[in-house]
């Protein structure tokens, strides 16, 4: 029974991974791509790891899957934040449809 | 006015083509996968083989962004995403081949890809690594 | 000293769980490795040890923060999937400023991570002195500080104030 629930979790994770990569291809600029891909791929991979834990059970591999899940949830937003800040400091523009950019205004005030 | 309409039409046609080809690929994978990556005799080999093929499809999508990306930041995002997806692929391989050391690869890959993303984004920002 | 002991215990327990069935060699190697880790990184570990002892915070964390966070995370994924699959790509992006009352490093980190994983928002930078976060929003609903703060931050701020302050 827990095997089947695990396989369902793996399917959900696969779906979200594909959606995240589609977002990477379709959306117009770096920040939007970061949004889509970080959220979808992080939750998708965490769901796959949880499914692996359910299928494998309380063994070494299962517990490693749980640790890996916690690690991914903690680190991937930090990586996204670092990339976004680096891109903005490197001068990557927002796409044409953007409405406001308070960060650029404040940075001009400082400099 | 005409131009806007034309652009909208082109966008719609591209969306339709893309959706059609993606659905066709997914259907092909689900109905008749190539037999290479299925491990017969082990549990759930059919489902997990298809899962590996879908992973390869997603990896190709993000490789497109790495090859095409107009700025360096796009490429870094795509590399980060590719790293996270390989962790998931290792998790699937753990079940499908019944070898538990694939999970070790997953953990090591997650750690290493996080560090490399941080280093790349610092490089993008134009700072040295000491700060 | 207390800090170093705590870090050593955490590192060692993590090592044991990663090995799962430890024997003597693994334990010795693990002890040496965690000692190395302690001597390199002890200064970066938590600065306010006294807050570790409040038991109530953990209960708040597991019963209140985690369910809210997971639910928001799930909603975020559905939202992104809708936006990506829609033929006309309904986005209206922009970077807005929001204000926060949280002060400590841990709380700010958790707040930024929660904002990044919830619907349509991504933290770009933090100005710690004035308590201002710059947030990239995929669908801008409000441009001024007050109303943006109300929509983006307040869900998590109340919970995190209880847990970390």
């Amino acid at each position: 029974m827990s095997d089947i629930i695990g396989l369902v979790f793996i399917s959900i994770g696969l779906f979200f991974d594909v959606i995240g990569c589609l977002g990477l291809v379709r959306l117009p600029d770096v920040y939007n791509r970061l949004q889509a891909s970080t959220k979808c791929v992080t939750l998708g991979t965490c769901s796959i790891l949880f499914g692996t834990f359910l299928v494998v059970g309380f063994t070494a591999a299962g517990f490693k899957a749980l640790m890996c899940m916690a690690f991914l949830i903690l680190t991937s937003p930090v990586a996204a934040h670092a990339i976004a800040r680096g891109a903005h400091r490197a001068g990557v523009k927002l796409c044409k449809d953007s409405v406001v950019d308070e960060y650029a205004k404040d940075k001009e005030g400082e400099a | 006015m005409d131009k806007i309409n034309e652009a909208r039409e082109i966008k719609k046609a591209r969306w339709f083509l893309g959706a059609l080809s993606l659905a066709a690929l997914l259907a092909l994978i689900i109905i008749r996968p190539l037999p290479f990556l299925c491990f017969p005799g082990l549990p759930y080999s059919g489902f997990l083989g298809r899962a590996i093929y879908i992973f390869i499809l997603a990896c190709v999508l993000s490789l497109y962004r790495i090859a095409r990306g107009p700025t360096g930041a796009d490429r870094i995002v795509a590399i980060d995403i590719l790293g996270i997806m390989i962790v998931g692929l290792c998790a699937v391989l753990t079940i499908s081949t019944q070898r538990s050391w694939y999970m070790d690869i997953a953990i090591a890959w997650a750690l290493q890809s996080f560090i490399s993303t941080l280093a790349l984004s610092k490089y993008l920002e134009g700072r040295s690594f000491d700060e | 000293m207390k800090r170093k002991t705590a870090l050593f215990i955490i590192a060692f327990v993590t090592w044991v769980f990663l090995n799962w069935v430890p024997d003597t060699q693994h334990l010795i190697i693990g002890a040496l490795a965690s000692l190395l880790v302690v001597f390199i990184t002890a200064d970066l570990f938590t600065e306010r040890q006294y807050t570790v002892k409040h038991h109530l915070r953990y209960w708040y964390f597991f019963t209140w923060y985690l369910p809210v966070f997971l639910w928001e995370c799930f909603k975020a994924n559905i939202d992104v999937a809708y936006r990506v699959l829609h033929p006309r790509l309904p986005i209206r992006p922009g970077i807005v400023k929001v204000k926060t009352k949280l002060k400590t490093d841990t709380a700010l980190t958790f707040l930024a991570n929660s904002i990044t994983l919830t619907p349509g928002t991504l933290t770009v930078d933090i100005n710690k002195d004035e308590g201002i976060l710059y947030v990239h929003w995929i669908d801008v609903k409000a441009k001024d500080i007050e109303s943006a703060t109300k929509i983006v931050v307040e869900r998590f701020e109340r919970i995190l104030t209880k847990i970390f302050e």
Side-chain angles (χ1 to χ4, degrees):
Chain A
M1 187 60 204
S2 73
D3 283 19
I4 300 203
I5 300 175
L7 293 187
V8 168
F9 266 101
I10 289 178
S11 325
I12 296 171
L14 276 173
F15 172 73
F16 280 129
D17 270 14
V18 174
I19 294 287
C21 287
L22 259 184
L24 205 60
V25 173
R26 276 199 80 196
L27 290 171
D29 71 342
V30 185
Y31 308 98
N32 293 317
R33 278 172 202 152
L34 258 179
Q35 292 239 9
S37 49
T38 306
K39 275 169 212 155
C40 276
V41 175
T42 304
L43 195 88
T45 306
C46 284
S47 146
I48 287 174
L49 286 168
F50 191 68
T52 312
F53 166 72
L54 284 182
V55 172
V56 176
F58 275 101
T59 57
F63 208 82
K64 276 171 198 164
L66 280 189
M67 303 266 301
C68 202
M69 204 169 107
F71 183 77
L72 271 184
I73 285 191
L74 281 179
T75 57
S76 79
V78 179
H81 168 191
I83 295 174
R85 204 174 68 156
H88 208 289
R89 297 237 168 135
V92 179
K93 295 270 191 309
L94 273 73
C95 70
K96 274 182 296 179
D97 307 335
S98 302
V99 190
V100 284
D101 191 355
E102 299 275 350
Y103 190 43
K105 274 184 217 164
D106 280 18
K107 264 200 322 192
E108 271 175 20
E110 275 173 29
Chain B
M1 199 62 212
D2 235 20
K3 246 181 195 171
I4 297 173
N5 267 335
E6 202 173 314
R8 201 171 280 165
E9 287 296 316
I10 290 176
K11 239 182 188 175
K12 221 179 223 175
R14 274 178 64 190
W15 179 82
F16 189 71
L17 267 180
L20 202 68
S21 52
L22 196 74
L25 269 176
L26 279 179
L28 197 69
I29 288 173
I30 289 170
I31 293 168
R32 182 177 281 263
L34 297 176
F36 300 132
L37 289 173
C38 307
F39 301 95
L42 292 171
Y44 315 118
S45 61
F47 176 83
L48 293 171
R50 289 172 172 90
I52 290 171
Y53 278 110
I54 292 176
F55 258 116
I56 291 173
L57 182 69
C59 286
V60 167
L61 284 178
S62 78
L63 277 177
Y64 167 80
R65 186 45 72 195
I66 292 179
R68 179 78 194 284
T71 63
D74 290 298
R75 297 197 169 100
I76 294 173
V77 174
I79 290 171
D80 183 35
I81 295 311
L82 195 61
I84 297 178
M85 268 194 318
I86 285 173
V87 174
L89 180 60
C90 287
V92 170
L93 279 174
T94 309
I95 315 175
S96 85
T97 63
Q98 301 275 312
R99 289 187 170 83
S100 66
W101 42 259
Y102 271 114
M103 217 58 229
D104 300 342
I105 301 175
I107 288 184
W109 201 294
L111 286 161
Q112 181 265 342
S113 103
F114 172 60
I115 302 287
S116 79
T117 307
L118 282 192
L120 282 171
S121 65
K122 286 250 175 179
Y123 158 75
L124 195 68
E125 210 169 320
R127 285 197 285 170
S128 64
F129 297 128
D130 298 335
E131 285 177 56
Chain C
M1 196 57 216
K2 223 185 216 172
R3 186 191 299 179
K4 284 184 181 175
T5 324
L7 183 54
F8 177 78
I9 290 170
I10 289 176
F12 194 63
V13 167
T14 313
W15 172 274
V16 170
F17 273 130
L18 281 180
N19 273 309
W20 195 248
V21 190
D23 55 7
T24 333
Q25 300 169 6
H26 284 153
L27 289 181
I28 292 170
I29 293 284
L32 288 179
S34 10
L35 270 181
L36 189 69
V37 167
V38 166
F39 279 117
I40 292 173
T41 64
D43 302 337
L44 307 176
F45 201 48
T46 177
E47 284 161 9
R48 310 192 308 160
Q49 293 100 339
Y50 58 90
T51 53
V52 176
K53 284 176 192 160
H54 295 178
H55 301 289
L56 209 55
R57 296 164 66 240
Y58 301 108
W59 285 110
Y60 275 131
F61 184 80
F62 281 111
T63 56
W64 196 6
Y65 173 73
L66 265 189
V68 170
F69 174 72
L70 286 178
W71 174 241
E72 293 286 334
C73 207
F74 187 70
K75 261 193 344 194
N77 277 277
I78 300 292
D79 183 59
V80 167
Y82 166 72
R83 281 180 208 286
V84 168
L85 291 178
H86 199 283
R88 252 175 307 158
L89 222 57
I91 55 174
R92 196 161 165 269
I95 295 182
V96 296
K97 263 200 288 196
V98 295
K99 236 190 273 174
T100 174
K101 293 186 222 86
L102 300 174
K103 288 278 167 6
T104 54
D105 282 349
T106 329
L108 277 174
T109 314
F110 265 86
L111 182 68
N113 282 6
S114 319
I115 286 177
T116 298
L117 285 180
T118 48
T121 48
L122 170 87
T123 319
V124 176
D125 203 353
I126 293 181
N127 189 342
K128 204 186 150 194
D129 303 328
E130 298 165 36
I132 289 177
L133 279 86
Y134 298 93
V135 171
H136 181 268
W137 204 348
I138 205 170
D139 183 23
V140 177
K141 292 193 191 103
K143 288 184 194 173
D144 55 321
I145 293 187
E146 276 78 24
S147 37
T149 306
K150 209 169 220 169
I151 300 174
V152 177
V153 179
E154 268 188 4
R155 284 183 293 215
F156 290 109
E157 201 174 42
R158 269 184 301 143
I159 306 174
L160 287 173
T161 317
K162 275 252 163 70
I163 296 175
F164 288 109
E165 302 272 312

